[in-house]
Amino acid sequence: MGEVLLKVNNLKMVFQNKRSSFAAVEGLTFSVERGKTLGIVGESGSGKTMASLSVLGLLPNQGRVAEGEILFDGKNILELSEKEMQNLRGNEMAMIFQDPVMSLDQIYTVGDQIIEAILTHRKISKDEAKKRALALLEDVGIPNPERVYRSYPFELSGGMCQRVMIAVALSCNPKLLFADEPTTALDVTVQAQIMELLKKIQKEYDMGIVLITHDLGVVADVADDIVVMYAGKSMEIAPKEVIFNSPCHPYTHGLIRSIPQLDKKEERLYSIQGMVPDIRNFPPGCRFCTRCPLALDECREKEPPFIELNEKHFVRCHRAEEIAKGGLAHE
Ligand SMILES: Nc1ncnc2c1ncn2[C@@H]1O[C@H](COP(=O)(O)OP(=O)(O)OP(=O)(O)O)[C@@H](O)[C@H]1O
Ligand SMILES: [Mg+2]
């Protein structure tokens, strides 16, 4: 096993106000190694963004981490002060988001924004910062760095803006990059280019990446390990090949069947029946039981534990061992 950069243990993240309290993430455990990509996959509302904002210390007002441990480079970062967290975000962790155009400030040039990012972390001269900014723009594959440096975000395409956001993120030389749906707002060819770029810079910077997406197809190419989340819980964690070739959670199986495939002429694309349960009112037992083709009475009554099938494969399903032995056909 490589060097573990981030270890999240049994994370519970809750929203609380005077009237109600509910958990958006519960019992979440995963780790990210240096130079490796962890994909976090799940439907809308499954808690992917809240899990990553918990790690970054950027939860919205009424949200807080209620349980668990977040170890970054071995230190429990939940014990850090806001100032220390800011430092960590500036120097060791960075993030890029779904909407690159909105994430940039429209009234400043690209150059000014990268320089500002560089100068908040480093005491260097403005000239040196400019050189570094141009080098970063080149690093993220921008063909004419001088021109883009002087441009305003609204003058650039979505794909270009995402490259600029990646340059801003890289300005602090992070060890860990969170990419939350980084390509969802872009068209397909640009999506592929941005994923290629992430792979390239990961090698160059030897960075760990947490790639968040609702689309299992996106992580198929780039992730080393995958966490499948459903209704705030991790349902399955395994190396990518295991997730795709021998998934042991019926939800993972359904997600894989839902990926459109060019070579298969299925008449209709498969989709998992039913809807994600309301976060304020989960069913007793397994959270997936209302949609699961393999659910038994036990599944409706008792929450399944996170079963370790082997050192690298964990599944939250009462029937995981039967599925692993190949004894159960889906549907
Ligand atoms: N500010 C908030 N106050 C209350 N609940 C919130 C808030 N932000 C998010 N939630 C709830 O927390 C749950 C998890 O949300 P989260 O944004 O982490 O989901 P996600 O997996 O990132 O979804 P998506 O794919 O749509 O981005 C959702 O049920 C959401 O409605
Ligand atoms: Mg999200």
Side-chain angles (χ1 to χ4, degrees):
M1 191 140 156
E3 182 194 340
V4 174
L5 256 184
L6 175 70
K7 178 103 190 58
V8 171
N9 283 326
N10 200 25
L11 177 71
K12 180 173 182 181
M13 182 264 144
V14 298
F15 281 105
Q16 200 163 20
N17 61 26
K18 285 198 189 103
R19 275 163 293 137
S20 68
S21 162
F22 60 91
V25 176
E26 220 177 320
L28 181 65
T29 294
F30 64 82
S31 55
V32 186
E33 288 174 35
R34 194 168 184 120
K36 294 282 167 71
T37 299
L38 175 81
I40 302 187
V41 183
E43 279 165 280
S44 185
S46 55
K48 307 180 296 296
T49 296
M50 292 309 135
S52 65
L53 295 183
S54 302
V55 177
L56 289 158
L58 291 175
L59 285 173
N61 273 340
Q62 295 174 331
R64 65 182 176 89
V65 172
E67 271 173 36
E69 254 185 349
I70 302 175
L71 305 170
F72 182 75
D73 256 353
K75 275 192 309 249
N76 190 355
I77 61 174
L78 292 174
E79 290 163 2
L80 297 184
S81 67
E82 181 47 39
K83 183 111 212 299
E84 289 169 315
M85 269 318 282
Q86 248 172 28
N87 232 335
L88 199 66
R89 281 196 298 270
N91 295 307
E92 320 251 340
M93 297 184 194
M95 64 222 126
I96 53 173
F97 297 106
Q98 175 168 352
D99 194 333
V101 184
M102 292 304 291
S103 310
L104 287 163
D105 202 325
Q106 299 300 318
I107 60 168
Y108 294 102
T109 62
V110 162
D112 284 344
Q113 297 187 53
I114 304 182
I115 284 201
E116 195 197 318
I118 295 173
L119 292 179
T120 24
H121 317 306
R122 287 200 199 164
K123 306 262 166 300
I124 54 174
S125 72
K126 206 152 179 212
D127 273 357
E128 280 174 284
K130 179 172 180 187
K131 263 198 216 134
R132 168 106 177 105
L134 288 169
L136 281 167
L137 288 173
E138 202 167 325
D139 243 13
V140 297
I142 285 177
N144 189 343
E146 285 278 356
R147 185 181 65 77
V148 170
Y149 182 90
R150 290 190 306 271
S151 306
Y152 290 90
F154 61 82
E155 297 175 307
L156 304 173
S157 67
M160 274 298 165
C161 284
Q162 194 57 290
R163 286 179 193 266
V164 171
M165 283 308 301
I166 295 172
V168 171
L170 291 179
S171 67
C172 67
N173 237 325
K175 289 184 186 165
L176 183 64
L177 177 73
F178 284 87
D180 192 348
E181 304 269 7
T183 61
T184 309
L186 307 173
D187 65 53
V188 183
T189 44
V190 182
Q191 276 182 15
Q193 291 164 3
I194 296 290
M195 293 317 295
E196 276 306 312
L197 172 63
L198 285 176
K199 270 200 273 189
K200 179 189 99 125
I201 57 169
Q202 174 169 52
K203 266 212 194 104
E204 269 172 41
Y205 288 72
D206 195 21
M207 252 178 348
I209 296 184
V210 177
L211 177 63
I212 296 173
T213 171
H214 61 273
D215 182 351
L216 201 49
V218 167
V219 290
D221 201 26
V222 293
D224 296 290
D225 296 302
I226 294 180
V227 181
V228 176
M229 284 188 72
Y230 184 80
K233 294 218 163 188
S234 43
M235 291 300 182
E236 184 157 14
I237 300 186
K240 175 183 67 188
E241 295 73 25
V242 175
I243 290 283
F244 281 98
N245 300 329
S246 40
C248 287
H249 198 291
Y251 178 57
T252 314
H253 193 263
L255 283 179
I256 292 168
R257 277 195 64 189
S258 316
I259 303 176
Q261 280 176 330
L262 287 177
D263 53 343
K264 259 207 210 151
K265 290 205 186 63
E266 274 191 51
E267 277 177 13
R268 245 166 15 108
L269 192 59
Y270 176 82
S271 73
I272 302 169
Q273 295 298 306
M275 279 176 28
V276 184
D278 177 10
I279 191 169
R280 290 163 189 82
N281 190 16
F282 285 123
C286 173
R287 290 184 180 179
F288 187 59
C289 73
T290 52
R291 303 171 77 186
C292 183
L294 301 178
L296 307 170
D297 287 344
E298 183 189 20
C299 308
R300 294 181 198 99
E301 287 153 14
K302 210 169 83 203
E303 164 100 61
F306 211 32
I307 297 167
E308 179 173 351
L309 289 177
N310 63 52
E311 199 195 335
K312 293 191 142 199
H313 192 181
F314 295 80
V315 190
R316 198 185 295 281
C317 173
H318 287 302
R319 311 197 69 185
E321 273 149 351
E322 288 171 88
I323 297 172
K325 284 188 199 122
L328 286 175
H330 290 266
E331 315 246 330

